[in-house]
Amino acid sequence: QVQLVESGGGLVQPGGSLRLSCGTSGIMLSIYDMGWYRQAPGEQRELVAVIRSGGSTMYADSVKGRFTISRDNAKKTVYLQMNSLKPEDTAVYYCNAASIITTRRYWGQGTQVTVSS
């Protein structure tokens, strides 16, 4: 059974930092492109960052220079380091796994990030 479990969310002041983790099981992480998405209340889910199976990365313009996505295939974990957080970063953050071989995609349950003073 495939599971993606996000952790590391919480309440942080503007300008602060958080590191999100996405632990995976049931998949061979090395053959998946991994992404972080977020969804704010009343908004559509949006892509935040992607790290492909080969290691290349892509970021939404809104987080470039502040967020860093990384992966540790041996630990089956993907990370999102978030620095210089802004109130507009407040959202539920979701981990996504997309197979590079099939059309299978998996989602985690999400972790809440709230940026507020």
Side-chain angles (χ1 to χ4, degrees):
Q1 184 177 357
V2 177
Q3 283 192 312
L4 278 62
V5 180
E6 300 96 335
S7 61
L11 173 63
V12 63
Q13 293 187 340
S17 298
L18 283 175
R19 188 175 83 153
L20 305 184
S21 298
C22 173
T24 70
S25 61
I27 60 172
M28 186 182 298
L29 191 60
S30 60
I31 61 169
Y32 282 80
D33 293 337
M34 300 299 297
W36 285 98
Y37 290 71
R38 67 186 181 187
Q39 187 168 19
E43 302 290 334
Q44 289 189 333
R45 192 172 296 189
E46 64 174 0
L47 176 66
V48 176
V50 170
I51 184 165
R52 304 206 181 277
S53 61
S56 63
T57 59
M58 185 193 73
Y59 298 91
D61 288 343
S62 59
V63 306
K64 280 181 182 176
R66 300 188 298 122
F67 290 11
T68 302
I69 189 171
S70 61
R71 64 194 294 160
D72 186 331
N73 290 342
K75 293 184 177 179
K76 294 191 170 185
T77 302
V78 179
Y79 306 96
L80 185 68
Q81 178 67 43
M82 305 187 295
N83 299 328
S84 303
L85 282 161
K86 305 175 181 180
E88 51 263 44
D89 295 318
T90 295
V92 178
Y93 283 71
Y94 297 91
C95 180
N96 173 265
S99 172
I100 64 171
I101 297 175
T102 71
T103 59
R104 291 184 178 178
R105 299 189 73 177
Y106 303 99
W107 291 92
Q109 83 289 347
T111 185
Q112 176 70 48
V113 171
T114 302
V115 185
S116 175
S117 56

